[in-house]
Amino acid sequence: MNALVGTGGLIRLILRRDRFILPAWIVLLAVIPVSYVSGIEELYPTAAGRAQYAATSGTNPTFLALYGPLHSTSVGGLVAQRAGFLPLIVGLIALLTVIRHTRGEEEAGRRELLGSTVVGRHAGLAAALIVTMTATLVLGLLSGLVLTSGGLPASGAFTLTLSWTFAGWVFAAVAGVAAQLTEGAGAARGIALGVLGLAFVLRVAGDVGGTGNELSWLSWLSPIGWAHGIQAFGGERWWVLVLSAALAAVLIAVATAVSARRDVGAGILAARLGPADAAPGLRSPFALAWRLHRGLLMSWTAGFVALGLIFGGVADGVGDMVEDNPQLQEIFARMGGRGGLIDLYLAGIMGILGLIASAYAIQAALRLRSEEANLRAEPLLATAVGRLRWAGSHLVFSVLGPVVALLAAGATAGLVHGLNAGDVGEQLPRALGAALVQLPAVWVLTGIAVALFGLLPRVAAASWGAFALFLFLGQVGAVLGLDQWMLDVSPFTHIPKVPGGAVTAEPLLWLLAVTLVLMLAGLVGFRRRDAAVG
Amino acid sequence: MENIIVAAALTKSFGPTQALDGLDLTVRAGEVHGFLGPNGAGKSTTIRILLGLLQADAGHVEMLGGDPWRDATTLHRRLAYVPGDVTLWPNLSGGEVIDLLGRLRGGLDPKRKADLLERFDLDPRKKGRTYSKGNRQKVALVAALSSDVELLLLDEPTSGLDPLMEEVFTTCIEEERQRGRTVLLSSHILAEVERLCDRVTIIRNGASVETGTLAELRHLTRTSISAELASPPNGLAQLGGVHDLRVDGTRVRFEVDSNQLGPVLRQLTTLGVRSLTSQPPTLEELFLRHYQDELTGSQPQGASR
Ligand SMILES: Nc1ncnc2c1ncn2[C@@H]1O[C@H](COP(=O)(O)OP(=O)(O)OP(=O)(O)O)[C@@H](O)[C@H]1O
Ligand SMILES: [Mg+2]
């Protein structure tokens, strides 16, 4: 039988299942960059203004780390840098989509149902890849059109947007391979996310020292680095796309080869046998939750340690920038001189880490919903375990997990920066404080997830919408010049800018109060409602 | 005799779907109670209400002398549940799940666990995601049967078990009955119900349509009779309880309600019987009648057709 028979039918099935989410992310991601065009034209209308921006914000390590290098001082160049997190986002969405429609389906047993009809052995993989890759292509073309109509030169616009498409292709292919390796969708997702994280960290490490530093080559090891290496608006290097296309092709070939060799439902990394009896400690809902959460918690913590190392490692270099640039010294003197600049940098970085930690908080809290919807909560709730005890066992991870992750990032950043600057004693507590002060904002996201779980369980995943909104407000809000009241919607707006800034307890207490109310509402709602299936 | 489960006039709807519509169910202490009904009749919904996972919209429900919704956790110490769809945690072994569920219920008997694992031929070292459907079912069964509880709530526990394992299950339930445990057994398998159950409740569209002992239910079934008579079968059609009468000269074929068998036989003898075959009533027929009404959408039938 032809291995691709039935691909068309599966494509239609995927399109039908994703008929809302697919257009939603394409349009959202296509529109974000053009919003930068007007914002930047308004803030920096003159070439001189943009050169000034390039010399300051555009090349400071925070921006280099988060958005990548600046290749041109044209409006397009500034837009391209500001949109520098898009390869990561597109890669993330592509990866999650492919896993969900391949290994996710297999794990749920639905693939088997289809496999017994006329569906070739590669059809599932092919359909998921075709849909995802076409979607990122549509995103690239649409976004390129929108940017061109927004007044940017077409060649630069399309290079930029197609670089996202190709990043999407590479990570769709990475997910295609990961989906063949393990038996569980969670583990496959973990592998693919690990590759994405590694690619991001490599790019950050290569870019953060500025163009032409001795570690620049690291970026060239990363498919995300390639998306920046294409230099949109700054002497485009189209050939970089060939690298991505070639890697994607190789990975797809690997995925196909592995898929041809394994059984439906099986993985290459075979599951090992477990113990015949439970350890004596496995006797409470919390002990079970620990088993279910520990892998995730450890990978998040490891990721935060890596981020802490990178961000802490370059903090001292931020200060050097001032000394290298006599014209700017006066400006920076007003911002508090060398020390003030580093503080500003640390505060900014910790704000980003806080936001990332809130993604973990949501993920851990939503485990409640997936346990319930997959009927794994039912046998537990049919024992002497009360609902609150069961919910609490998972919420511990949503509440304390971010504490662990931020503590790890703050401690490593403070330690590394302290060692560089020669006073660990002072820098460590400052960095720790800056990391931990994010927690009240992070917990608001826990609160939102719990409230939705308790009151509107079927749409609990909408917590990610809140996350996206806060991300948008934090990253794009200021560039767009949004009104303060809109920015105030995000809890992260209310976190004091430390180290350096003043700390007032009031906004933090408000955030804690909001969290408490949301969590209480969610838990009371959960106690009163039916255990909802599906 | 003490009642372990009393549900009266339960209603429950999910949006536009009326899952339960005035359901009554009484389970007595120490009995194995069969719970039958076509797909979507509301069996799982009823059991979930008994477990306090769902709250009934209206009606009265009492289990082990408590309110399943309010006293959920205390009642759960005294019962064990086997869900119809068993999903396990992918990274926990079957043995770990059995121990965990047993401990959360308040302890399990390791000797009995080992014995059950052997009888069900289950490898407890496999991880959750590598079990077949039948083996997942066995994990839940072993967890439930090795706990020391008064009441077992089993929702289609044998779906997915092979015939050999079904036999093992039947023996296990017989043992449970001898120990004086109460069992509520939802099932589609009639042989299993006939062998195990003391009393049966049949539900349809969320309401109970029959309840009683198997002997009582047999009264609701019909015997098929075909006979060769000495004279034309006059007056047979007028007798109560006769259905589907087909006459071919002096040969007759018909069905008769089991509680009308006596008068009909008397009439046959007056007519003179040359030969007679009768097919005994089966519960299957009764169940099929109830199941099929579902398809044709007509009302449940007593004696008339
Ligand atoms: N969570 C739910 N949301 C919406 N409808 C539901 C839900 N649970 C059950 N139903 C509906 O309630 C009705 C009764 O379902 P239930 O699962 O109790 O049937 P059942 O008798 O157990 O069927 P089966 O023999 O197939 O297991 C069905 O129509 C079903 O679709
Ligand atoms: Mg059911």
Side-chain angles (χ1 to χ4, degrees):
Chain A
M1 186 174 76
N2 184 340
L4 289 175
V5 172
T7 307
L10 289 183
I11 289 177
R12 278 194 296 280
L13 182 67
I14 295 178
L15 290 178
R16 149 118 192 111
R17 290 182 63 199
D18 284 4
R19 64 191 183 282
F20 297 119
I21 186 80
L22 205 64
W25 67 256
I26 291 178
V27 169
L28 183 71
L29 293 183
V31 169
I32 286 181
V34 77
S35 68
Y36 289 143
V37 179
S38 49
I40 283 169
E41 274 173 346
E42 209 166 287
L43 288 173
Y44 308 101
T46 64
R50 290 194 297 270
Q52 168 89 345
Y53 170 87
T56 54
S57 315
T59 47
N60 86 43
T62 321
F63 273 43
L64 290 177
L66 292 177
Y67 306 126
L70 181 70
H71 295 296
S72 148
T73 58
S74 63
V75 173
L78 266 56
V79 169
Q81 189 196 23
R82 257 312 194 143
F85 61 91
L86 272 158
L88 181 72
I89 303 283
V90 175
L92 178 70
I93 294 177
L95 164 173
L96 293 176
T97 311
V98 169
I99 300 268
R100 195 157 62 86
H101 289 294
T102 51
R103 184 51 76 171
E105 287 295 281
E106 250 180 89
E107 190 183 37
R110 282 189 287 265
R111 173 75 180 67
E112 225 168 342
L113 205 64
L114 289 172
S116 56
T117 64
V118 186
V119 173
R121 102 176 339 268
H122 297 318
L125 177 65
L129 285 175
I130 288 172
V131 169
T132 311
M133 292 171 76
T134 310
T136 57
L137 181 63
V138 170
L139 163 68
L141 295 177
L142 183 67
S143 192
L145 272 179
V146 174
L147 282 179
T148 313
S149 66
L152 296 185
S155 64
F158 279 98
T159 341
L160 176 66
T161 56
L162 286 177
S163 75
W164 308 334
T165 299
F166 278 73
W169 287 11
V170 169
F171 287 99
V174 165
V177 175
Q180 311 305 319
L181 297 181
T182 65
E183 280 179 3
R189 210 174 284 132
I191 291 178
L193 284 175
V195 174
L196 181 74
L198 182 70
F200 179 67
V201 167
L202 280 174
R203 186 201 65 68
V204 170
D207 289 345
V208 81
T211 21
N213 76 87
E214 66 268 33
L215 290 179
S216 286
W217 58 273
L218 284 175
S219 300
W220 287 99
L221 299 180
S222 157
I224 295 184
W226 299 342
H228 296 267
I230 200 167
Q231 297 194 352
F233 300 102
E236 286 87 4
R237 299 191 283 203
W238 282 92
W239 56 266
V240 181
L241 293 183
V242 177
L243 285 180
S244 308
L247 180 60
V250 168
L251 290 171
I252 290 173
V254 170
T256 317
V258 179
S259 150
R261 224 156 282 172
R262 67 181 185 85
D263 299 333
V264 171
I268 287 292
L269 311 176
R272 280 164 306 181
L273 288 180
D277 304 287
L282 188 60
R283 53 171 52 259
S284 67
F286 176 76
L288 173 65
W290 167 246
R291 279 290 293 277
L292 302 178
H293 283 269
R294 66 182 176 192
L296 192 66
L297 177 61
M298 282 171 190
S299 8
W300 274 91
T301 308
F304 268 67
V305 167
L307 290 173
L309 281 176
I310 295 170
F311 290 142
V314 301
D316 208 44
V318 179
D320 295 344
M321 257 179 34
V322 192
E323 271 129 47
D324 295 350
N325 194 332
Q327 293 112 21
L328 292 177
Q329 271 182 1
E330 195 187 327
I331 302 176
F332 287 131
R334 271 188 270 128
M335 294 166 62
R338 185 189 163 92
L341 200 63
I342 296 179
D343 285 353
L344 219 57
Y345 160 79
L346 282 177
I349 287 300
M350 292 306 173
I352 299 290
L353 288 180
L355 196 63
I356 301 179
S358 67
Y360 171 62
I362 294 176
Q363 202 184 3
L366 288 187
R367 184 83 201 215
L368 283 173
R369 178 59 193 153
S370 68
E371 289 285 295
E372 180 188 30
N374 293 327
L375 295 178
R376 287 193 286 253
E378 203 171 84
L380 291 176
L381 294 177
T383 66
V385 174
R387 292 194 181 198
L388 289 186
R389 221 174 126 213
W390 173 74
S393 71
H394 288 279
L395 289 184
V396 167
F397 290 89
S398 180
V399 171
L400 295 185
V403 179
V404 174
L406 284 170
L407 215 68
T412 39
L415 206 63
V416 174
H417 173 48
L419 288 172
N420 280 342
D423 65 311
V424 176
E426 171 162 3
Q427 296 305 335
L428 185 59
R430 282 159 61 85
L432 271 179
L436 294 181
V437 80
Q438 308 296 328
L439 284 169
V442 174
W443 288 332
V444 170
L445 274 302
T446 302
I448 290 174
V450 176
L452 283 173
F453 166 72
L455 301 170
L456 299 167
R458 286 195 166 77
V459 296
S463 321
W464 290 112
F467 173 77
L469 176 70
F470 300 159
L471 178 76
F472 176 80
L473 289 175
Q475 294 301 300
V476 187
V479 184
L480 292 187
L482 293 181
D483 290 341
Q484 188 60 35
W485 69 265
M486 288 196 223
L487 299 180
D488 281 346
V489 170
S490 168
F492 290 94
T493 311
H494 305 281
I495 295 296
K497 304 282 172 280
V498 288
V503 184
T504 45
E506 196 188 347
L508 298 180
L509 292 177
W510 271 112
L511 290 176
L512 288 177
V514 169
T515 304
L516 218 60
V517 169
L518 286 169
M519 285 179 77
L520 275 179
L523 290 175
V524 169
F526 175 54
R527 246 172 76 112
R528 292 202 179 152
R529 70 171 169 82
D530 288 342
V533 182
Chain B
M1 201 187 273
E2 186 198 353
N3 289 329
I4 295 286
I5 296 174
V6 183
L10 281 190
T11 63
K12 175 78 193 171
S13 56
F14 299 102
T17 323
Q18 187 78 31
L20 297 186
D21 192 6
L23 180 121
D24 303 306
L25 173 69
T26 309
V27 177
R28 298 178 189 154
E31 76 178 2
V32 178
H33 193 104
F35 196 34
L36 294 126
N39 293 132
K43 301 180 294 295
S44 301
T45 305
T46 308
I47 293 180
R48 289 204 172 99
I49 289 176
L50 291 175
L51 284 166
L53 294 168
L54 302 178
Q55 191 172 25
D57 296 337
H60 168 81
V61 57
E62 201 181 305
M63 180 180 65
L64 294 166
D67 175 342
W69 179 260
R70 242 196 14 240
D71 314 322
T73 48
T74 42
L75 294 180
H76 290 173
R77 278 180 209 290
R78 302 163 58 191
L79 63 85
Y81 165 56
V82 174
D85 277 310
V86 180
T87 42
L88 301 174
W89 295 274
N91 51 344
L92 261 68
S93 72
E96 286 180 307
V97 172
I98 293 170
D99 284 348
L100 174 70
L101 291 178
R103 289 168 187 175
L104 292 179
R105 232 174 251 135
L108 85 179
D109 179 354
K111 267 220 302 290
R112 183 143 172 81
K113 173 189 158 194
D115 174 49
L116 286 164
L117 282 175
E118 188 175 325
R119 285 163 72 182
F120 277 110
D121 189 24
L122 179 70
D123 180 355
R125 293 170 305 156
K126 284 198 174 178
K127 294 285 179 70
R129 74 167 79 89
T130 63
Y131 280 118
S132 65
K133 171 166 170 50
N135 283 334
R136 285 201 303 270
Q137 202 77 38
K138 289 185 203 167
V139 169
L141 274 172
V142 173
L145 295 176
S146 53
S147 304
D148 184 21
V149 291
E150 297 161 50
L151 171 65
L152 292 168
L153 295 176
L154 312 178
D155 193 357
E156 294 183 42
T158 50
S159 64
L161 293 192
D162 62 39
L164 217 65
M165 290 304 140
E166 246 176 75
E167 192 59 38
V168 175
F169 169 79
T170 310
T171 332
C172 285
I173 296 301
E174 268 159 5
E175 287 169 20
E176 297 300 324
R177 191 218 321 264
Q178 268 149 36
R179 286 175 202 197
R181 288 186 196 163
T182 310
V183 181
L184 178 64
L185 170 68
S186 118
S187 176
H188 288 295
I189 301 172
L190 296 159
E192 179 179 289
V193 173
E194 291 205 66
R195 242 182 95 176
L196 286 174
C197 298
D198 306 299
R199 294 196 323 133
V200 172
T201 297
I202 303 176
I203 68 166
R204 240 193 35 183
N205 293 333
S208 332
V209 288
E210 309 283 3
T211 186
T213 63
L214 288 179
E216 280 162 4
L217 290 190
R218 278 211 174 81
H219 278 290
L220 298 172
T221 60
R222 294 171 187 165
T223 308
S224 335
I225 290 187
S226 68
E228 169 112 44
L229 302 176
S231 52
N234 298 324
L236 205 55
Q238 282 75 49
L239 280 180
V242 173
H243 310 274
D244 282 353
L245 178 66
R246 260 163 296 167
V247 183
D248 178 14
T250 52
R251 293 189 63 86
V252 290
R253 287 165 63 91
F254 58 87
E255 290 178 7
V256 54
D257 289 336
S258 301
N259 50 3
Q260 295 294 319
L261 204 51
V264 170
L265 283 181
R266 255 192 307 277
Q267 176 72 11
L268 284 181
T269 4
T270 25
L271 293 167
V273 182
R274 291 221 175 106
S275 78
L276 181 132
T277 48
S278 86
Q279 232 154 38
T282 60
L283 276 180
E284 187 152 347
E285 210 190 316
L286 176 72
F287 296 144
L288 283 181
R289 233 191 310 151
H290 283 303
Y291 278 40
Q292 270 158 3
D293 292 342
E294 174 88 349
L295 296 178
T296 55
S298 62
Q299 283 303 302
Q301 296 163 329
S304 67
R305 183 168 286 209

